[in-house]
């Protein structure tokens, strides 16, 4: 079911795309306020509503000022399925959007975020922004972007960058609308759906811009893994499992991927190797890209 709040204004070129689930409802007012403070306001919010009661949603939105139109699309599925169904709906309705700005409904954005990414999307198929992590309720925990220093000299990426690690997430990436016309009819539900999704729809000719000027305030909780975290046995095993799942779906016969899987399997089968690997990675004090740690392990293990 789709509900639209009607506003008298020119058609929007930008669609902010997000999913609202039960766990993010308590942050929804703050999310709307963050969008309402944007320097660029001619956008729609397309919200996939995952099992949130309509009266709760309406109550929050009626009490929150917002200059933009909110479109509700109700669907309850997995993390990737929710987004695929919502994007497919946008294609079917033949909207005239030029840019899709993916955001997580429990995060916050800098005031010029949509202005910067929509401007950059005129020249680049994909724009990915840096993250400033903060704890669940305290935005002032940090003011340091986590990837700026590592990518400051490499602002233009291509899809090969995503083979062994990822920085493109459903909360910090914007794309040309035309890219979603490449969507398949069916998708698996992998452990790293954002990594799989962006790698799957992009081609070698698509250009990715890392935008250090646009900032996402990235709310930290148990399922988020970016920035300033000490590695543990459990986290290393999860990283490996995600990477194994990703390679099995996308690079099943790729020699480099098979080598990395074999190396990390050997490490995980030896308690001493696991401990040494964790110590090695923690001592490096690197803000790793998502799922990048095992690549460093492969290098150290084979030295």
């Amino acid at each position: 079911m789709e509900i639209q709040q009607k506003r008298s204004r020119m058609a929007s070129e930008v669609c902010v795309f997000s999913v609202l689930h039960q766990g993010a409802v308590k942050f929804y007012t703050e999310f709307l306020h963050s969008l309402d403070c944007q320097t660029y306001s001619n956008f729609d919010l397309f919200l996939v509503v995952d099992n949130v009661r309509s009266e709760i949603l309406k109550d929050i939105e009626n009490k929150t000022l917002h200059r933009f139109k909110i479109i509700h699309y109700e669907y309850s599925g997995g993390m990737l399925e929710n987004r695929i169904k919502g994007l497919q709906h946008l294609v079917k309705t033949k909207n005239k959007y030029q840019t899709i700005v993916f955001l997580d409904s429990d995060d916050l954005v800098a005031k010029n975020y949509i202005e910067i990414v929509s401007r950059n999307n005129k020249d680049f198929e994909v724009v990915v922004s840096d993250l400033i992590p903060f704890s669940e309720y305290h935005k002032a925990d940090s003011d340091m972007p986590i990837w700026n220093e590592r990518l400051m000299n490499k602002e233009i990426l291509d899809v090969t960058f995503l083979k062994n690690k990822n920085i493109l997430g459903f909360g910090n990436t914007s794309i040309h609308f035309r890219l979603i016309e490449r969507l398949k009819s069916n998708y698996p539900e992998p452990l790293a759906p954002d990594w799989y999704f962006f790698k799957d729809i992009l081609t070698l000719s698509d250009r990715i811009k890392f935008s250090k000027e646009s900032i996402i305030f990235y709310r930290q909780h148990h399922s988020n893994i970016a920035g300033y975290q000490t590695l543990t046995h459990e986290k290393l095993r999860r990283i490996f499992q995600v990477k194994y799942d990703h390679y099995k779906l996308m690079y099943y016969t790729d020699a480099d991927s098979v080598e990395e899987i074999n190396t990390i399997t050997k490490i995980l089968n030896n308690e001493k190797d696991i401990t040494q690997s964790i110590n090695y990675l923690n001592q490096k004090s690197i803000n790793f890209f998502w799922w990048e740690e095992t690549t460093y392990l492969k290098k150290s293990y084979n030295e």
Side-chain angles (χ1 to χ4, degrees):
M1 180 175 66
E2 183 179 335
I3 304 171
Q4 296 192 12
Q5 297 183 0
K6 295 183 179 180
R7 303 272 176 169
S8 176
R9 58 178 188 137
M10 61 186 294
S12 301
E13 295 183 350
V14 176
C15 175
V16 173
F17 186 100
S18 191
V19 174
L20 184 69
H21 51 81
Q22 287 281 354
V25 169
K26 58 186 175 182
F27 305 117
Y28 186 45
T29 297
E30 196 176 5
F31 175 71
L32 290 178
H33 178 70
S34 181
L35 291 180
D36 198 51
C37 291
Q38 291 297 297
T39 55
Y40 179 93
S41 61
N42 190 28
F43 61 88
D44 296 340
L45 171 60
F46 184 90
L47 194 70
V48 179
V49 181
D50 182 356
N51 203 28
V52 177
R53 288 162 48 194
S54 59
E55 58 266 31
I56 294 175
L57 194 59
K58 290 178 181 178
D59 183 61
I60 294 173
E61 292 173 355
N62 288 338
K63 293 178 179 178
T64 308
L65 293 175
H66 48 273
R67 296 170 291 166
F68 47 88
K69 179 171 69 175
I70 303 177
I71 303 169
H72 299 159
Y73 179 75
E74 295 183 7
Y75 193 87
S76 297
M79 181 177 175
L80 182 56
E81 184 182 6
N82 283 341
R83 290 167 172 82
I84 295 298
K85 294 298 184 181
L87 292 171
Q88 289 173 338
H89 177 77
L90 285 179
V91 172
K92 290 178 183 178
T93 53
K94 300 185 184 301
N95 285 286
K96 301 300 183 183
Y97 300 121
Q98 296 183 14
T99 301
I100 302 290
V101 179
F102 290 101
L103 292 177
D104 285 336
S105 57
D106 58 350
D107 289 340
L108 304 172
V109 290
K111 290 183 178 180
N112 59 355
Y113 185 83
I114 296 177
E115 178 183 356
I116 293 174
V117 297
S118 60
R119 183 173 66 237
N120 284 330
N121 267 125
K122 296 182 185 301
D123 299 313
F124 297 90
E125 286 79 7
V126 179
V127 178
V128 58
S129 301
D130 212 340
L131 310 172
I132 294 181
F134 68 103
S135 64
E136 193 168 12
Y137 293 103
H138 301 286
K139 184 181 172 188
D141 286 350
S142 169
D143 60 358
M144 295 296 294
I146 62 174
W147 293 325
N148 192 334
E149 291 185 2
R150 295 193 62 193
L151 290 173
M152 61 188 305
N153 295 320
K154 193 175 183 181
E155 292 188 359
I156 310 303
L157 313 173
D158 61 32
V159 71
T160 59
F161 177 88
L162 303 180
K163 179 179 177 182
N164 297 313
K165 69 273 189 188
N166 183 35
I167 61 171
L168 275 66
F170 287 130
N172 71 323
T173 306
S174 63
I175 64 174
H176 272 292
F177 183 85
R178 65 175 179 270
L179 293 188
I180 67 174
E181 296 176 349
R182 300 175 183 175
L183 291 175
K184 300 174 183 176
S185 57
N186 294 296
Y187 280 82
E189 193 67 37
L191 294 176
D194 41 11
W195 191 11
Y196 177 85
F197 171 81
F198 289 111
K199 181 65 180 68
D200 188 64
I201 67 168
L202 296 180
T203 68
L204 289 173
S205 63
D206 294 322
R207 293 196 305 163
I208 304 168
K209 177 178 175 58
F210 174 68
S211 172
K212 58 187 177 183
E213 295 85 10
S214 51
I215 296 294
I216 291 289
F217 296 101
Y218 185 67
R219 195 182 302 272
Q220 295 292 277
H221 45 72
H222 71 280
S223 61
N224 285 347
I225 57 169
Y228 314 121
Q229 295 197 10
T230 301
L231 199 64
T232 63
H233 283 62
E234 181 182 355
K235 289 177 183 176
L236 179 60
R237 290 185 183 280
R238 173 169 169 74
I239 289 166
F240 170 72
Q241 188 59 52
V242 168
K243 207 155 196 179
Y244 179 84
D245 182 48
H246 182 70
Y247 282 163
K248 189 174 180 180
L249 287 171
M250 306 209 74
Y251 304 108
Y252 193 75
T253 60
D254 180 81
D256 290 339
S257 303
V258 171
E259 179 188 355
E260 182 163 342
I261 290 295
N262 289 338
T263 298
I264 306 307
T265 300
K266 293 176 184 177
I267 293 174
L268 294 178
N269 286 335
N270 187 309
E271 191 67 25
K272 182 179 178 181
D273 283 348
I274 294 178
T275 301
Q276 290 178 343
S277 298
I278 290 172
N279 291 337
Y280 170 79
L281 291 171
N282 285 335
Q283 288 170 5
K284 295 188 79 65
S285 298
I286 294 175
N287 275 322
F288 292 105
F289 303 130
W290 289 314
W291 324 119
E292 185 186 24
E293 290 90 339
T294 61
T295 302
Y296 279 80
L297 287 187
K298 185 181 75 169
K299 294 175 183 176
S300 67
Y301 192 81
N302 292 331
E303 288 175 353

